[in-house]
Amino acid sequence: MIFDRAFLTDVEGVTELIFVRHGEQFIPDPRNGPVGDTFDPPLSERGRQQADAVAARLSVDRVDAVYASPLQRALETGRAIARHHRLEPVVVHDLREVEIFRDIPPEKSALEFLGRDLLLGIRERMLRERKWDVYPYSESSFEFRKRTVNAVEAIIAGNQGKRVVIACHGGVINAYIGHIIGSPYDMFFRPAHASISVVFAGEGVRALQSLNDVHHLRTGEWNLVSH
């Protein structure tokens, strides 16, 4: 049927991409603290619990490979998942998060370097436009989407017919899925920490199967859902 081909249902040789956003991280304030401290924070205690929860959820499925961003919060999450399958995450540098304020001197805060009024104006633009290009001294929307989509497509090319986990970031997940569904926004949804989104790839088709699944974070008396 045409819909089987369009959405890769009941089609052989399909690659399954399981995008997992990292668990919650320590959150330094990029406005008042040095921007250099915001680029690579580790998981918080809650974030480690979230990583363990998503790892347990995926432990019952076959996983052929785990890929991860080099940033601590994503790599720690990827390692938690990979352990259940006796794997080591493959680190892909281009899966790192969008680099906001990367060209500000790392010892300065955004508030100190840009000023309060400009920061407030940028925030209002982001609310309306949802484009990384509103941020000065930052990676552009085009640069970010190009590197992330190319990174994911390379993973697909090397894993035809396999089930692959990609532990990464909310911006990366938005970039790739936004690309395949034709979203005009850089952030069209807000992935929860340790959420799961699934894409099928094959026969030149990329088909979204699920988005922002957090069922595994709401079990019994525990509710580990956070953004």
Side-chain angles (χ1 to χ4, degrees), residues 4 14 38-39 82-83 88-89 113 118 122 126 133 141 153-155 165 175 177 180 182 187 195 210 222 224 227:
D4 286 330
V14 169
T38 68
F39 294 142
R83 277 196 295 270
E88 285 291 330
F113 190 79
L118 180 54
I122 291 166
M126 190 61 182
D133 282 339
S141 296
E153 287 296 320
I155 291 170
V165 172
I177 296 178
I180 66 171
M187 286 287 288
S195 62
S210 65
W222 296 98
L224 294 173
H227 293 85

Side-chain angles (χ1 to χ4, degrees), residues 21-55:
R21 188 187 176 202
H22 59 79
E24 181 183 272
Q25 73 271 31
F26 287 110
I27 307 175
D29 187 343
R31 295 166 300 177
N32 299 313
V35 295
D37 292 346
T38 68
F39 294 142
D40 192 15
L43 292 176
S44 66
E45 178 58 36
R46 182 181 177 86
R48 286 190 288 271
Q49 292 174 343
Q50 292 167 334
D52 288 342
V54 71

Side-chain angles (χ1 to χ4, degrees), residues 105-161:
E107 72 279 3
K108 292 185 177 293
S109 71
L111 179 63
E112 178 185 6
F113 190 79
L114 299 174
R116 178 180 176 274
D117 290 347
L118 180 54
L119 280 177
L120 289 174
I122 291 166
R123 184 183 68 178
E124 292 302 311
R125 283 194 65 192
M126 190 61 182
L127 284 171
R128 297 190 307 272
E129 300 175 39
R130 301 184 192 179
K131 288 281 190 180
W132 301 123
D133 282 339
V134 306
Y135 291 100
Y137 303 96
S138 303
E139 184 174 24
S140 73
S141 296
F142 176 80
E143 288 178 297
F144 178 59
R145 183 168 286 200
K146 180 173 70 171
R147 71 164 166 88
T148 53
V149 171
N150 283 346
V152 174
E153 287 296 320
I155 291 170
I156 294 169
N159 291 275
Q160 294 184 20

Side-chain angles (χ1 to χ4, degrees), residues 9 14 29 44 67 79 89 97 99 189 195 209 215 222:
T9 53
V14 169
D29 187 343
S44 66
Y67 290 81
R79 283 175 174 152
E97 185 59 294
E99 296 177 332
F189 84 109
S195 62
Q209 301 297 311
H215 181 74
W222 296 98

